[in-house]
């Protein structure tokens, strides 16, 4: 068995290690998860909810320990770590309040009015696999496990090989809240561990890059298991000439530099109407220059470390290539080895070639390109001219034009006069179109995706019911009777 040593990306210090899970052990985890799930799936919602309610309270009581762990393996700011704890608590709270109603069996209209009754049920898949990335290691692992567990599943979770510790802590806290150890198995390791997980589970929820999402979809197709993919983005923001500029500038900073830009829904390209471009660019550049970048265990840092020196180097190269292609630097653009091995300054670029990689591909770092546009039509066209479609943001003086623009954007979510709000709007499905993914988390989608639909139809008629009725009438008479019945249905209110 090999082990993975984890270092704090902000300081380079070792902070822990985990053993990689051998291939045979994945099979064993699956068997015990399946076994434990049988009883858990039969428990009523209230029984499962008691565990998740205790967990909700426990993570708030132990938040400092969780923040320390998240920060240690990501190097992110404490504020960004806090967002993970708050959002996991919010997810738990939401599904504790609404989950039972989403999962409850529902009456549906029957095949023949009055004579039949139909019920739609949702039952758990069995063992749900979750493969998650490093950028929000507590939120994306435990936050997605909560609705899966509440729906009656067991979970096999594969954290990123870069950030395995937050998931281990999350599991320990779930166990302390009363969850059977086997109901949340953790598979440690890299892509090969993920590939092994895919050979066993009954459903896969993947969060990560679009490139790997495609591989996961192919593996799921081989076994014909259902899946959801939460993938990358190149999220646009549109700023109209009547937008509140100060607020829009603040919004951009939050939307682009939270988590050092390593957020799937973060803003990477901004289309600004020409009359306000220069003023907006100045505002944004000044405020970006004033952000505090660094490593701290207190809440005094705005922008933390990136995940890895290699990722910081990739982002730095992307900035340099853009500058060589004619881009101008309005703020930042430098690596900061004086702060730690993986820091990149929050960066604002202008005059970026619209076909340059930095304007088209997901950068996943603290870098934003500002583009001047002559009309809102041009802005909408450019925003949609992307292979991605995850999140978008619109800033306008009035609600009506903003909503009109939002309705034309090819994205899973659009925030008006805001940027990242979708992640905490638990009652709204969140996910992407195009290369940004398939399926949604949150809302009813976010728990029903962890279930299968079972339709139960029942006939009240004695003596064979619907089937024998069809069998008794034959030939022309049968055809005439059927057509008469269909015509009649059209006239009965509530049946059409
Ligand atoms: P990644 O695709 O490299 O890895 C994600 C996870 O998949 C890791 O656990 C990794 O070990 C595993 N993996 C990689 N290849 C695999 C394979 N072939 N089979 C099975 N598992 C495999 O992504 P990353 O670099 O860790 O994360 C950054 C990406 O995640 C960005 O593109 C970002 O936009 C995306 N992301 C999306 C969302 C969302 O909700 N849409 C949220 C967070 C991050």
């Amino acid at each position: 068995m090999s082990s993975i040593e984890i270092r704090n990306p902000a300081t380079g210090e070792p902070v822990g290690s985990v053993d990689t899970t051998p291939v045979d052990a994945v099979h064993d985890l699956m068997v015990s998860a399946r076994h434990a799930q049988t009883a858990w799936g039969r428990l009523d919602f209230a029984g499962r909810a008691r565990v998740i309610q205790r967990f909700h309270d426990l993570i708030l009581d132990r938040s400092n320990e969780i923040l320390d762990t998240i920060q240690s393996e990501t190097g992110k700011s404490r504020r960004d770590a806090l967002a993970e704890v708050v959002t996991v608590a919010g997810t738990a709270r939401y599904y504790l309040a609404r989950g039972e109603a989403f999962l409850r069996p529902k009456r549906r209209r029957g095949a023949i009015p009055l004579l039949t009754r139909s019920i739609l049920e949702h039952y758990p898949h069995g063992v749900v696999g979750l493969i998650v990335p490093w950028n929000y290691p507590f939120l994306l692992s435990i936050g997605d496990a909560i609705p899966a567990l509440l729906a009656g599943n067991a979970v096999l979770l594969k954290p990123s090989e870069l950030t395995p510790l937050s998931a281990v802590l999350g599991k320990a806290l779930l166990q302390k809240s009363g969850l059977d150890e086997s109901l949340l198995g953790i598979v440690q390791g890299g892509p090969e561990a993920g590939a092994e997980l895919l050979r066993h589970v009954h459903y896969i929820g993947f969060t990560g890059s679009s490139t790997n999402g495609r591989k996961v979809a192919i593996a799921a197709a081989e076994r014909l298991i259902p899946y959801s993919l939460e993938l990358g983005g190149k999220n646009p923001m549109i700023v109209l000439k009547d937008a509140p500029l100060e607020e829009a500038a603040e919004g951009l900073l939050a939307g682009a530099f939270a988590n050092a830009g390593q957020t799937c829904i973060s803003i990477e390209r901004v289309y600004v109407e020409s009359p306000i471009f220069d003023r907006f660019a100045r505002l944004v550049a000044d405020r970006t220059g004033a952000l505090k970048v660094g490593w701290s265990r207190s809440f005094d840092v705005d922008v933390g470390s990136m995940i890895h020196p290699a990722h910081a180097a990739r982002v730095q190269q992307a900035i340099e290539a853009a500058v060589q292609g004619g881009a101008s630097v309005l703020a930042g653009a430098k690596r900061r080895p004086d702060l730690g091995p993986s820091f990149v300054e929050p960066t604002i670029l202008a005059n970026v070639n619209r076909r340059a990689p930095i304007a088209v591909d997901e950068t996943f770092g603290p870098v934003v390109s500002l583009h001047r546009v002559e009309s809102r039509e041009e802005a909408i066209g450019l925003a949609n001219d992307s292979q991605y479609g995850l999140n978008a943001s619109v800033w306008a003086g009035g609600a009506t034009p903003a909503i009109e623009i939002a309705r034309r954007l090819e994205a899973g979510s659009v925030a008006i006069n805001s940027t990242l709000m979708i992640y905490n709007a638990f009652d709204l499905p969140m996910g992407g179109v195009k290369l940004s993914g398939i399926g949604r988390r949150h809302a009813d989608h976010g728990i029903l995706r962890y279930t299968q639909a079972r339709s139960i139809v029942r006939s009240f008629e004695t003596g064979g019911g619907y089937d024998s009725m069809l069998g008794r009438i034959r030939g022309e008479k049968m055809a005439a009777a059927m057509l008469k019945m269909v015509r009649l249905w059209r006239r009965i209110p509530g049946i059409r």
Side-chain angles (χ1 to χ4, degrees):
M1 193 188 298
S2 61
S3 74
I4 309 172
E5 189 185 63
I6 309 304
R7 288 176 179 273
N8 181 337
T11 62
E13 285 166 1
V15 290
S17 68
V18 293
D19 292 331
T20 51
T21 309
V23 168
D24 298 353
V26 179
H27 174 260
D28 297 344
L29 284 172
M30 179 71 190
V31 171
S32 41
R34 190 60 170 136
H35 185 70
Q37 187 271 332
T38 310
W40 176 251
R42 283 201 202 113
L43 202 64
D44 61 6
F45 186 86
R48 298 194 290 261
R50 271 192 291 280
V51 174
I52 301 300
Q53 182 64 65
R54 282 194 291 268
F55 177 72
H56 169 273
D57 299 344
L58 188 62
I59 62 172
L60 298 180
D61 291 345
R62 305 260 301 258
S63 63
N64 273 328
E65 182 186 347
I66 304 171
L67 299 188
D68 285 344
T69 304
I70 296 171
Q71 277 200 288
S72 294
E73 61 180 356
T74 60
K76 65 173 67 179
S77 74
R78 202 153 182 90
R79 188 198 297 189
D80 289 330
L82 182 66
E84 297 202 43
V85 175
V86 168
T87 308
V88 170
T91 306
R93 201 176 56 240
Y94 176 76
Y95 284 114
L96 284 168
R98 303 292 310 279
E100 188 171 18
F102 293 142
L103 296 171
R104 188 180 295 143
K106 292 175 187 70
R107 287 265 296 273
R108 290 291 171 98
R109 194 172 295 164
I112 302 181
L114 306 177
L115 296 185
T116 60
R117 177 164 291 176
S118 302
I119 299 166
L120 168 63
E121 290 190 352
H122 299 283
Y123 67 99
H125 288 295
V127 181
V128 161
L130 295 176
I131 299 178
V132 299
W134 47 260
N135 59 334
Y136 288 91
F138 187 68
L139 165 58
L140 293 171
S141 55
I142 304 300
D144 278 358
I146 285 170
L149 290 167
L150 278 174
N153 297 282
V155 172
L156 285 192
L157 165 67
K158 196 203 84 63
S160 164
E161 56 278 33
L162 297 176
T163 55
L165 304 176
S166 302
V168 171
L169 177 58
K171 173 178 172 147
L173 296 176
L174 273 162
Q175 269 181 259
K176 208 171 163 44
S177 309
L179 191 79
D180 182 318
E181 180 188 12
S182 305
L183 285 171
L184 178 57
I186 298 195
V187 176
Q188 297 287 14
E192 49 318 308
E196 184 57 27
L197 184 89
L198 277 161
R199 291 189 192 103
H200 297 274
V201 291
H202 302 122
Y203 175 93
I204 186 72
F206 175 83
T207 306
S209 61
S210 302
T211 306
N212 291 330
R214 182 178 282 120
K215 291 181 193 161
V216 167
I218 291 168
E222 291 281 353
R223 291 189 51 226
L224 281 181
I225 59 166
Y227 60 89
S228 56
L229 305 173
E230 315 281 344
L231 309 176
K234 186 76 186 173
N235 308 297
M237 170 164 156
I238 294 176
V239 188
L240 299 188
K241 55 180 180 261
D242 61 351
L245 280 202
E246 301 259 340
E247 287 89 336
E250 280 301 323
L252 176 56
L253 263 54
F257 302 138
N259 218 38
Q262 303 166 119
T263 303
C264 54
I265 53 175
S266 71
I267 303 298
E268 296 200 355
R269 52 198 177 110
V270 188
Y271 302 105
V272 189
E273 280 198 289
S274 193
I276 52 152
F277 183 92
D278 294 331
R279 241 176 79 221
F280 182 71
R282 251 194 324 276
L283 269 177
V284 170
D286 289 350
R287 284 166 197 228
T288 300
L291 291 173
K292 184 166 179 208
V293 187
W295 164 246
S296 169
R297 289 280 188 200
S298 55
F299 290 94
D300 55 354
V301 154
D302 298 309
V303 182
S305 172
M306 302 199 67
I307 188 65
H308 202 273
H311 187 42
R314 263 196 302 277
V315 170
Q316 175 66 15
Q317 279 157 15
I319 295 170
E320 279 165 12
V323 171
Q324 272 162 20
S328 28
V329 175
L330 304 188
K334 289 196 279 299
R335 277 291 285 278
R336 292 292 300 271
D338 54 317
L339 298 175
S342 310
F343 283 90
V344 174
E345 286 178 343
T347 299
I348 306 287
L349 302 175
N351 301 315
V352 172
N353 181 326
R354 284 176 187 162
R355 293 278 149 230
I358 208 158
V360 174
D361 302 330
E362 182 181 49
T363 313
F364 220 54
V367 185
V368 181
S369 312
L370 304 185
H371 303 269
R372 187 188 292 271
V373 292
E374 297 310 322
S375 69
R376 66 182 63 179
E377 286 305 314
E378 187 186 5
I380 295 168
L382 289 167
N384 286 338
D385 184 16
S386 171
Q387 55 187 341
Y388 293 107
L390 190 56
N391 187 36
S393 165
V394 180
W395 293 77
T400 310
I403 288 172
E404 274 167 19
I405 292 176
R407 293 208 167 113
R408 292 176 59 193
L409 292 179
E410 295 162 7
S413 57
V414 184
I416 293 174
N417 290 358
S418 173
T419 50
L420 306 183
M421 203 162 47
I422 183 64
Y423 214 106
N424 290 84
F426 303 109
D427 208 22
L428 284 171
M430 180 198 160
V433 300
K434 304 196 236 178
L435 289 194
S436 294
I438 292 174
R440 299 285 185 269
R441 59 163 61 92
H442 295 169
D444 49 346
H445 293 62
I447 193 161
L448 294 181
R449 67 176 167 151
Y450 296 130
T451 65
Q452 292 282 14
R454 180 195 283 124
S455 298
I456 299 176
V457 287
R458 176 180 168 206
S459 171
F460 289 130
E461 201 208 18
T462 51
Y466 181 77
D467 301 328
S468 75
M469 182 187 77
L470 291 183
R472 276 197 301 267
I473 324 172
R474 294 191 186 280
E476 293 297 320
K477 270 191 184 159
M478 181 274 289
M482 288 283 268
L483 292 172
K484 200 169 178 180
M485 189 166 73
V486 173
R487 276 199 195 94
L488 186 70
W489 281 352
R490 197 172 166 276
R491 295 209 188 92
I492 303 176
I495 291 184
R496 275 192 287 258

